Amino acid sequence: MGPQGSGKGTQAQLFARRHGYRILSTGDILRKEAMKGTELATQISNTMNEGGLISDELIFKVLRNHINELPKTENLILDGFPRTEKQAVQLDSVIDVTCTIYILLSVEEAVQRISGRVQCPEGHTYNTISAPPTEKDICDVDGLTLSQRKDDNEDAVRHRLAIHEKEIANVLGHYRTQQKLFTIHGDATIDEVSQEIEAKLAPYAN
Ligand code: AMP
């Protein structure tokens, strides 16, 4: 968990590659749903483009379907879920959360970072300033074309950050009570943040 631009997607990818975890990113799942051309897809796409949250009921249904398709033994990293306390409670009913990481970042740093963010359709993310791809506009992993997300404009980002501020305290409280929360400062380099995550998760990881 963390505000937009905190690096949660990047860190999830690094950790998953090293330890063989599967990432379920609700943002990536919704972006794929939004391309389907149905009425529901249009609703999802409008909400996302404005920087709003998809309803707890809908997002949980979508996520649960994805979880149910996976072998029970699969190790998962959830990126972007839960974002509300209700989602955290719903999640407890389907999987046993081992621990959570919250990456802290200031609003101004978040806005600045997101303005340089580009990603491929599979969700591999780069920053044109701090972590550019080897070849301009091309994903290093799968060779697909990189583009900026529609919701990465300043208005939508500030809206998303305001919602995040409002909702996240209760989510963190949920995991703090369960003694499953680690907090990490996200304003260090990608490598430094990654090392801190590795250190915190060493007792749990494969
Ligand atoms: P992300 O890629 O994590 O930044 O998510 C992009 C957008 O997808 C968010 O701004 C929301 O509109 C939507 N979204 C992703 N995850 C959730 C969630 N857990 N609950 C509600 N909406 C979500």
Side-chain angles (χ1 to χ4, degrees):
M1 299 174 292
Q4 287 68 36
S6 58
K8 51 188 174 2
T10 304
Q11 295 298 337
Q13 284 169 22
L14 287 173
F15 194 87
R17 251 179 253 156
R18 273 191 214 117
H19 299 279
Y21 279 48
R22 178 189 290 268
I23 301 174
L24 283 184
S25 153
T26 44
D28 286 347
I29 292 171
L30 288 168
R31 274 183 284 281
K32 283 191 184 148
E33 284 291 326
M35 289 195 297
K36 286 189 179 160
T38 59
E39 199 180 312
L40 180 64
T42 312
Q43 275 174 28
I44 290 177
S45 160
N46 289 345
T47 305
M48 288 176 81
N49 291 345
E50 287 161 8
L53 285 186
I54 305 302
S55 76
D56 290 333
E57 285 68 29
L58 177 59
I59 185 69
F60 181 62
K61 204 167 127 195
V62 172
L63 180 69
R64 196 182 46 200
N65 288 344
H66 276 77
I67 290 176
N68 286 343
E69 280 170 12
L70 299 173
K72 296 273 174 285
T73 49
E74 184 101 40
N75 286 321
L76 293 179
I77 299 176
L78 296 187
D79 167 9
F81 192 96
R83 271 172 150 99
T84 66
E85 189 181 12
K86 182 156 181 209
Q87 292 179 7
V89 173
Q90 287 171 322
L91 187 62
D92 286 343
S93 70
V94 280
I95 57 173
D96 185 17
V97 175
T98 312
C99 66
T100 62
I101 294 195
Y102 182 71
I103 307 179
L104 284 161
L105 198 73
S106 73
V107 170
E108 287 317 314
E109 178 72 20
V111 171
Q112 207 180 0
R113 280 188 185 185
I114 288 177
S115 56
R117 180 159 79 174
V118 285
Q119 69 176 50
C120 80
E122 288 303 315
H124 301 118
T125 305
Y126 303 83
N127 188 291
T128 49
I129 300 151
S130 58
T134 313
E135 194 182 335
K136 192 173 178 285
D137 296 335
I138 303 292
C139 178
D140 287 357
V141 182
D142 48 33
L144 297 174
T145 305
L146 302 173
S147 60
Q148 191 173 40
R149 283 167 41 175
K150 275 204 185 128
D151 59 346
D152 277 355
N153 63 75
E154 186 164 342
D155 280 353
V157 169
R158 287 196 185 274
H159 185 47
R160 278 148 72 200
L161 290 168
I163 293 176
H164 173 81
E165 284 286 297
K166 182 169 158 272
E167 299 289 345
I168 201 65
N170 289 338
V171 181
L172 300 184
H174 181 88
Y175 292 116
R176 201 173 285 117
T177 309
Q178 297 183 356
Q179 297 183 314
K180 290 181 175 175
L181 176 68
F182 294 114
T183 302
I184 287 183
H185 287 274
D187 49 6
T189 65
I190 291 175
D191 275 354
E192 285 164 345
V193 174
S194 173
Q195 279 168 27
E196 210 184 326
I197 290 175
E198 289 288 339
K200 298 266 200 255
L201 296 190
Y204 308 99
N206 296 324

